[in-house]
Amino acid sequence: MITLGIETSCDETAVALYDSGKGLIGEAVFSQIELHGEYGGVIPELASRDHCQKITHIFHKALGDTQLSSIDQIAYTAGPGLLGTLLIGENFAQGLALALKKPLIPVNHLEGHLMAPFLGGEKLDFPFLTLLVSGGHSLIIDVKAFNDYEILGQSRDDAVGEAFDKVAKLIGLGYPGGPEIEKIAQHGDPNKFQFPQPMLHSDDYDFSFSGLKTSVLYAVQDLENITQDIQADICASFQQAATEVLVKKISKALIDTGREGIVLAGGVAANKLLREKISTLQESLNIRALYPPIAHCTDNAAMIAYLGSLKSDEATFHIKSHARPRWPLGKK
Ligand code: KG4
Ligand code: ZN
């Protein structure tokens, strides 16, 4: 069975084809990073316009030599995300479904991230914990089984990727801030600035990143000018504080739940310091850690096509809008 997947929840236009027998057989992604770069963040209206312009080309690129008629079902991200961009993916999916007379499966983007580690055939036994860290989410999820998820912890304010992006902007770096901060942090001293590690000792698995970002702002305001060395020290100290909180909280969740596996997902999962710290944790707790390839950690349609292939019992011929900006994981 071949499932077409479409992803347009934010600033990536992505289409993929997943064959239940052969695995991933086609994939194309266009990232709008350059478009939003000069604004330091995603501008929803510009994102929608760009999805409109790119989606047909990306669809053909992903399709390659595969015949349109061999598509059996169409899965698309219906939320959470930006409503305007979600509607473009949904309308494209619906148009195709009508033309090809194939059923539709609206899927949850977060559930796509949760299942992404398995689309290449990797194995990890349920239950396990997922640390989903991106520009929009900072979540610790107990993945008990397919379709059975419990959010153990989340950010009470900014997502961790959002904090990376805002701090980068504060010190004059480009967007997205995560990779920029990571690069410059290599030359800095992580102990130069004592930035707070919010909620480190709270008795739950929640995060808070806005205070950390504000303390960087205060540090910057106290400086007369930001030399390259100081910029590097800020990056290293901020990265150290942000990753430390993530790792401490996931460590607490692993110990309390007794789970023996962890998956890293979302754009921030690309961060090398975070990966190093998780590797150390893996050794000390004797657990398994799975890092999907970066291309499948960040937003992509392969995870949507794969998830759709697991949900073929939900495929329907009804043309009805399911797009929604908020869609809590596990809810219908
Ligand atoms: O998952 P993603 O591509 O898109 C969504 O937000 O859904 O994640 C993008 C986020 C941005 O905030 C970006 O700054 C962050 O991931 N990011 C990183 C790194 N690469 C991307 N943060 C820290 N270190 C990185 N190497
Ligand atoms: Zn995402």
Side-chain angles (χ1 to χ4, degrees), residues 7-14 30-37 39 41-55 81-89 175:
E7 159 62 38
T8 60
S9 66
C10 190
D11 58 346
E12 264 87 30
T13 314
F30 179 81
S31 171
Q32 303 177 352
I33 280 179
E34 274 183 31
L35 176 69
H36 303 291
Y39 305 100
V42 176
I43 308 292
E45 177 61 16
L46 294 184
S48 298
R49 291 181 199 189
D50 206 58
H51 282 301
C52 282
Q53 282 178 3
K54 303 284 170 21
I55 194 159
L82 300 169
L83 186 60
T85 63
L86 289 167
L87 283 170
I88 289 152
Y175 173 83

Side-chain angles (χ1 to χ4, degrees), residues 30 68 108-109 135-136 142 157 198 217 261 268 302:
F30 179 81
L68 260 180
N108 184 309
H109 177 85
D142 189 15
D157 38 58
L217 172 69
V268 182

Side-chain angles (χ1 to χ4, degrees), residues 42-266:
V42 176
I43 308 292
E45 177 61 16
L46 294 184
S48 298
R49 291 181 199 189
D50 206 58
H51 282 301
C52 282
Q53 282 178 3
K54 303 284 170 21
I55 194 159
T56 310
H57 170 66
I58 292 299
F59 167 65
H60 285 294
K61 208 169 154 191
L63 198 62
D65 296 333
T66 308
Q67 295 295 313
L68 260 180
S69 56
S70 65
I71 295 172
D72 295 298
Q73 53 179 16
I74 300 162
Y76 67 93
T77 301
L82 300 169
L83 186 60
T85 63
L86 289 167
L87 283 170
I88 289 152
E90 181 174 72
N91 286 330
F92 193 81
Q94 290 179 343
L96 270 177
L98 276 177
L100 302 175
K101 299 191 173 49
K102 299 295 174 187
L104 287 161
I105 313 167
V107 303
N108 184 309
H109 177 85
L110 299 175
E111 192 175 6
H113 276 302
L114 290 191
M115 290 300 121
F118 305 113
L119 74 91
E122 297 83 351
K123 300 263 183 292
L124 183 68
D125 290 336
F126 292 113
F128 57 84
L129 298 186
T130 292
L131 178 65
L132 174 48
V133 276
S134 69
H137 296 95
S138 310
L139 298 167
I140 295 179
I141 303 157
D142 189 15
V143 183
K144 297 174 187 179
F146 177 50
N147 256 338
D148 187 1
Y149 318 114
E150 185 185 352
I151 294 182
L152 301 181
Q154 56 194 311
S155 177
R156 298 192 180 173
D157 38 58
D158 293 351
V160 61
E162 191 181 353
F164 268 92
D165 296 337
K166 287 178 176 171
V167 165
K169 199 172 177 182
L170 270 176
I171 56 174
L173 299 175
Y175 173 83
E180 297 273 319
I181 288 183
E182 177 168 38
K183 194 169 70 193
I184 292 176
Q186 288 171 7
H187 312 291
D189 174 359
N191 300 312
K192 191 78 180 189
F193 291 85
Q194 297 305 313
F195 293 134
Q197 298 177 6
M199 301 186 65
L200 189 66
H201 302 293
S202 67
D203 199 25
D204 54 33
Y205 311 107
D206 284 348
F207 308 105
S208 163
F209 291 102
S210 81
L212 171 56
K213 171 202 67 193
T214 308
S215 66
V216 177
L217 172 69
Y218 291 154
V220 168
Q221 284 172 345
D222 284 346
L223 294 164
E224 276 182 16
N225 71 334
I226 305 179
T227 60
Q228 276 192 346
D229 285 347
I230 292 175
Q231 196 183 46
D233 290 341
I234 293 175
C235 287
S237 305
F238 165 77
Q239 182 179 245
Q240 169 66 18
T243 53
E244 197 56 28
V245 182
L246 291 174
V247 173
K248 286 272 162 54
K249 289 285 170 142
I250 195 77
S251 165
K252 176 174 160 54
L254 282 164
I255 292 167
D256 293 353
T257 59
R259 300 298 185 230
E260 292 171 354
I262 173 181
V263 170
L264 245 66

Side-chain angles (χ1 to χ4, degrees), residues 297-308:
C297 275
T298 55
D299 287 351
N300 67 88
M303 67 183 191
I304 303 302
Y306 175 64
L307 180 59

